């Protein structure tokens, strides 16, 4: 996260065309966010364990994971916590069950997470044994823990029994079916070689301070192949990942070249980012440098903290979104052919809005349900960032950049409610529709501070469709499944994916905004197994479940909170 020296802007005719064509918004802004943390019953406060020793993990915060712990179709929340370094006691993580009435209940006691006395950083969610229940891999300062969902709100630590061995400080992880055998594999993106015994003393004038990433040795991500029967094998070397020297902060799974195999983007702190192309033969090849995503335009490795990937411009190709350090801007890498990417942020509102931000979590979402994916960024500095630029701040408000539908974005952060504008030490973030009204809400975490739930209120009638895919031949979590919604306004495509954001996991269900179009849509589903399903005349403004090889079912929530003046939007 240390600032590189010098900024030299190189121009590209392609990038200039992409960011300057079309400046008109498709419709008036009609979204606002309200802080409903207290009324929703969330009481989580992150603890980083800081006691004056300035141990490096204290800067990184904890993430939040969206999961369906009881398979009732409603998103629940897991908040990952640190802990005091030298004190014994129970885990401080918190698990909240959705009450289906706009509130949550703390169900941590007896869940297994209360016994997880580890210094946690983040979490990633998938059903690794295909039993219909979401499981959790938690990243920790000493590696990670695998929790198997046993049902009835109980999670069992099966790390050792499963053969999971992650020994290095880890922040983010992702599940993917890299060999398309129908079982979810695990990629743990280890960060640096760190332990209390390896801590480096940094500071000035005799005052102890936190070191930057350059003070610590890089590590290698660890890939575990799911063997079935609750067992995993370390296939890092066999898959071609063993030679890398990464400091992984964020992991995004995407099909960069459209060949049907899941590729992986790893954002690394002050070392080149990686774009691992899946060979289709149980291995990966790093093409990050050739693809143009490894370094900045100045040829410098950036902070590469949170990451995401999605088709925001309906080009049929996923773009890559990367959060960076102060004066580095967000990275927004767009591609025409899946081989070479161009960062279109520096000459656009994306770059201008994020120039002074220290960005951790980032992701694409359709915040206003107009059919175009917007950009969200959770920001928050460090003591280091405050000293890098006189204009920088430690507490920072998040960013919301609205997709104009023309390949460009506008910064609407100051127009979506006072709760959104509050400066915080942001870290993790995830999206979910916690109240079943169709729009996407935000769960945010802060460093050594309280979590926040921001309810999304779309203030005009906007139509939508929420799709949850359940695999049978493919993984039960449907990882890598591509869902297309074809409507009068065009075709949208989203992919079911684990990981992304920063140390966090968003809802595995996909939300498609349809704007003012209330007509029935066609839903196409391409499964990793090769199965394709098509469902014409699908009614909108509802949640549906698509099961591989079977049919489409409507899942109507028991609770819907009408937005002001928007009753027509709902069922």
């Amino acid at each position: 996260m240390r600032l590189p020296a010098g900024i030299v802007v190189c121009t590209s005719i392609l990038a200039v065309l992409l960011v300057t064509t079309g400046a008109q918004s498709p419709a008036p802004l009609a979204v606002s966010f309200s802080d409903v943390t207290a009324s929703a019953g969330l009481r989580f406060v992150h603890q980083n364990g800081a006691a004056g020793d300035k141990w490096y993990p204290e800067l990184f915060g904890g993430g939040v994971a969206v999961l369906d712990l009881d398979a009732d179709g409603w998103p629940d929340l897991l908040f990952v916590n640190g802990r005091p370094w030298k004190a014994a006691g129970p885990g401080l993580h918190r698990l909240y069950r959705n009450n289906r009435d706009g509130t949550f209940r703390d169900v941590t006691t007896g869940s297994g997470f209360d016994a997880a006395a580890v210094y946690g950083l983040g979490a990633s969610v998938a059903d690794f044994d295909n039993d219909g229940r979401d499981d959790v891999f938690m990243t920790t300062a000493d590696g990670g823990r695998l929790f198997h969902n046993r049902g009835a709100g109980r999670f069992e630590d099966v790390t050792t029994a499963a053969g999971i061995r992650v020994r290095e400080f880890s922040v983010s992880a992702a599940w993917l079916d890299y060999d398309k055998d129908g079982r979810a594999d695990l990629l743990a993106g280890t960060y640096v070689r760190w332990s209390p015994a390896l801590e480096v003393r940094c500071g000035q004038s005799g005052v102890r301070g936190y070191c930057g990433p350059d003070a610590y040795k890089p590590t290698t991500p660890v890939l575990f192949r799911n063997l079935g029967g609750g067992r995993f094998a370390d296939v890092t070397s066999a898959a071609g990942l063993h030679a890398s020297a990464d400091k992984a902060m964020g992991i995004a799974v995407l099909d960069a070249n459209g060949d049907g195999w899941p590729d992986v983007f790893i954002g690394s702190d002050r070392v080149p980012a990686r774009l691992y192309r899946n060979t289709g033969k149980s291995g990966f090849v790093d093409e990050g440098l050739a693809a143009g995503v490894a370094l900045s335009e100045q040829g410098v490795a950036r902070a590469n903290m949170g990451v995401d990937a999605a088709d925001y411009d309906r080009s049929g190709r996923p773009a890559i979104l990367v959060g960076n350090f102060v004066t580095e801007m967000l990275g927004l890498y767009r591609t025409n052919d899946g081989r070479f990417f161009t960062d279109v942020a520096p000459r656009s509102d994306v770059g201008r809005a994020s120039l002074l931000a220290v960005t951790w979590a980032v992701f694409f979402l359709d915040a206003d349900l107009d059919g175009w994916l917007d950009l969200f960024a959770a920001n928050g500095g460090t003591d280091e960032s405050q000293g890098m630029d006189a204009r920088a701040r430690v507490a920072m408000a998040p960013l919301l950049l609205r997709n104009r539908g023309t390949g460009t974005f506008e910064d609407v952060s100051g127009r979506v409610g006072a709760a959104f504008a509050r400066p915080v030490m942001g870290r993790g973030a995830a999206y979910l529709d916690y109240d079943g009204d169709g729009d996407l809400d935000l769960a945010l975490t802060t460093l050594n501070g309280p979590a926040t739930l921001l309810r999304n209120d779309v203030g005009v009638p906007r139509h939508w469709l929420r799709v949850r895919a359940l695999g049978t031949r493919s993984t039960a979590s449907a990882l890598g499944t591509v869902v297309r919604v074809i409507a009068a306004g065009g075709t949208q495509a989203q992919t079911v994916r684990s990981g992304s954001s920063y140390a966090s996991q968003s809802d595995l269900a996909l939300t498609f905004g349809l704007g003012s179009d209330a007509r029935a849509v066609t839903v196409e589903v391409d499964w990793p197994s090769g199965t394709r399903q098509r469902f014409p005349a699908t009614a909108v403004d509802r949640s549906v479940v698509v099961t591989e090889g079977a049919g489409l079912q409507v899942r109507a929530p028991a609770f819907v909170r009408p937005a002001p003046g928007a009753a027509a939007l709902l069922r």
Side-chain angles (χ1 to χ4, degrees):
M1 294 175 290
R2 185 157 292 164
L3 184 69
I7 294 178
V8 180
V9 177
C10 301
T11 59
S12 159
I13 294 176
L14 172 62
V16 170
L17 289 173
L18 286 171
V19 300
T20 57
T21 55
Q24 297 301 315
S25 300
L29 182 66
V31 60
S32 65
F33 290 88
S34 303
D35 186 344
V36 295
T37 313
S39 61
L42 300 180
R43 304 286 186 270
F44 175 78
V45 178
H46 177 257
Q47 297 184 31
N48 71 348
D53 293 317
K54 303 291 184 179
W55 286 0
Y56 196 39
E58 295 167 6
L59 293 175
F60 290 78
V64 55
V66 180
L67 72 162
D68 187 352
L69 70 91
D70 49 7
D72 67 349
W74 286 81
D76 308 301
L77 290 169
L78 171 66
F79 291 95
V80 179
N81 213 340
R83 61 178 295 103
W85 292 107
K86 300 175 183 179
L92 302 177
H93 323 290
R94 286 293 176 266
L95 180 65
Y96 289 92
R97 173 178 282 129
N98 195 321
N99 291 326
R100 313 183 198 180
D101 61 359
T103 67
F104 291 83
R105 181 164 60 95
D106 189 335
V107 293
T108 310
T109 302
S111 69
F113 293 113
D114 53 337
V118 294
Y119 193 104
L121 277 301
S124 185
V125 175
D127 178 2
F128 76 78
D129 58 348
N130 293 335
D131 66 352
R133 295 187 290 263
D134 285 342
D135 308 300
V136 175
F137 180 74
M138 181 184 293
T139 57
T140 66
D142 63 351
R145 302 291 187 275
L146 178 62
F147 293 90
H148 181 216
N149 188 338
R150 295 293 190 186
R154 295 180 298 109
F155 289 78
E156 180 184 359
D157 185 342
V158 296
T159 311
T160 301
I164 300 293
R165 305 279 191 280
V166 185
R167 298 179 175 86
E168 305 291 357
F169 175 16
S170 301
V171 176
S172 293
W175 295 91
L176 72 162
D177 186 3
Y178 84 101
D179 53 1
K180 297 206 293 187
D181 65 353
R183 294 188 289 263
D185 310 302
L186 175 65
L187 179 62
T190 56
Y191 178 56
V192 294
R193 189 150 295 162
W194 180 90
S195 71
L198 296 176
E199 183 59 279
V200 180
R201 295 185 66 87
C202 295
Q204 295 180 348
S205 303
V207 179
R208 183 74 184 270
Y210 290 104
C211 299
D214 293 344
Y216 305 92
K217 293 182 179 180
T219 59
T220 299
V222 189
L223 178 64
F224 294 96
R225 182 172 182 261
N226 191 332
L227 303 176
R231 294 286 299 171
F232 291 79
D234 186 336
V235 294
T236 307
S237 294
L241 303 178
H242 61 287
S244 64
D246 297 341
K247 296 182 178 180
M249 292 280 274
I251 301 177
V253 181
L254 70 160
D255 184 0
N257 56 4
D259 65 355
W261 290 89
D263 309 307
V264 176
F265 176 83
I266 296 182
S268 283
D269 197 357
R270 298 294 164 224
V271 297
R274 309 274 185 174
L275 179 57
Y276 289 108
R277 178 178 60 82
N278 193 323
T279 65
K281 300 177 181 179
S282 298
F284 294 88
V285 176
D286 178 23
E287 297 183 347
L289 191 60
V293 299
L295 304 169
S296 70
E297 288 185 329
Q298 299 82 40
V300 176
R302 293 193 281 187
N304 294 311
M305 296 192 289
V307 300
D308 195 15
D311 181 7
Y312 75 88
D313 56 359
R314 301 190 189 178
S315 65
R317 301 283 187 182
I320 298 172
L321 178 64
V322 185
N324 288 307
F325 203 63
V326 63
T327 74
E328 290 182 336
M329 312 180 190
L330 291 173
L332 179 59
Y333 296 96
R334 185 185 182 278
T335 182
N336 287 321
D337 58 10
R339 294 180 298 172
F340 182 77
F341 290 75
T342 301
D343 186 358
V344 300
R347 288 155 296 280
S348 74
D349 285 344
V350 175
R352 286 186 287 273
S354 59
L355 178 64
L356 296 180
V358 178
T359 298
W360 299 79
V362 292
F363 45 71
F364 295 95
L365 80 164
D366 188 355
D368 55 359
L369 299 177
D370 67 349
W372 295 92
L373 294 176
D374 311 302
L375 307 185
F376 171 82
N379 306 312
T382 65
D383 58 350
E384 179 189 17
S385 65
Q386 191 176 31
M388 289 295 177
D389 192 301
R391 298 165 294 174
R393 297 291 181 268
V394 172
M396 302 177 179
L399 289 174
L400 182 64
L401 303 176
R402 187 195 185 203
N403 192 330
R404 293 185 173 108
T406 59
T408 66
F409 293 86
E410 62 175 328
D411 182 4
V412 298
S413 310
R415 299 158 51 197
V416 292
F420 200 91
R422 185 168 59 241
V424 295
M425 288 283 282
R427 289 299 186 264
Y431 58 77
L432 69 159
D433 180 11
Y434 86 96
D435 52 1
D437 65 353
D439 53 37
L440 290 172
D441 313 297
L442 300 172
L444 314 176
T445 67
T446 61
L447 178 65
N448 221 33
T452 303
L453 180 64
L454 297 181
R455 187 187 67 209
N456 186 347
D457 297 317
V458 176
V460 299
R462 291 277 171 86
H463 300 283
W464 52 275
L465 185 71
R466 186 172 186 260
V467 181
R468 179 67 190 263
L470 301 177
T472 53
R473 293 175 57 200
S474 305
T475 65
S477 297
L479 301 174
T481 299
V482 178
V483 179
R484 296 181 187 86
V485 172
I486 304 168
T491 299
Q492 302 177 55
Q494 295 186 38
T495 302
V496 180
R497 63 198 190 282
S498 169
S500 290
S501 187
Y502 167 80
S504 299
Q505 168 80 56
S506 292
D507 199 342
L508 288 172
L510 305 176
T511 295
F512 295 85
L514 298 168
S516 60
D517 191 357
R519 288 168 288 185
V521 299
T522 295
V523 177
E524 292 183 348
V525 185
D526 287 342
W527 301 88
S529 65
T531 300
R532 169 172 281 193
Q533 292 174 275
R534 182 180 174 89
F535 304 96
T538 301
V540 301
D541 296 340
R542 64 191 59 205
S543 297
V544 300
V545 178
V546 178
T547 302
E548 184 178 14
L552 180 149
Q553 294 179 312
V554 175
R555 176 175 276 170
F559 166 77
V560 173
R561 176 194 49 79
L569 176 146
L570 307 175
R571 299 171 183 78

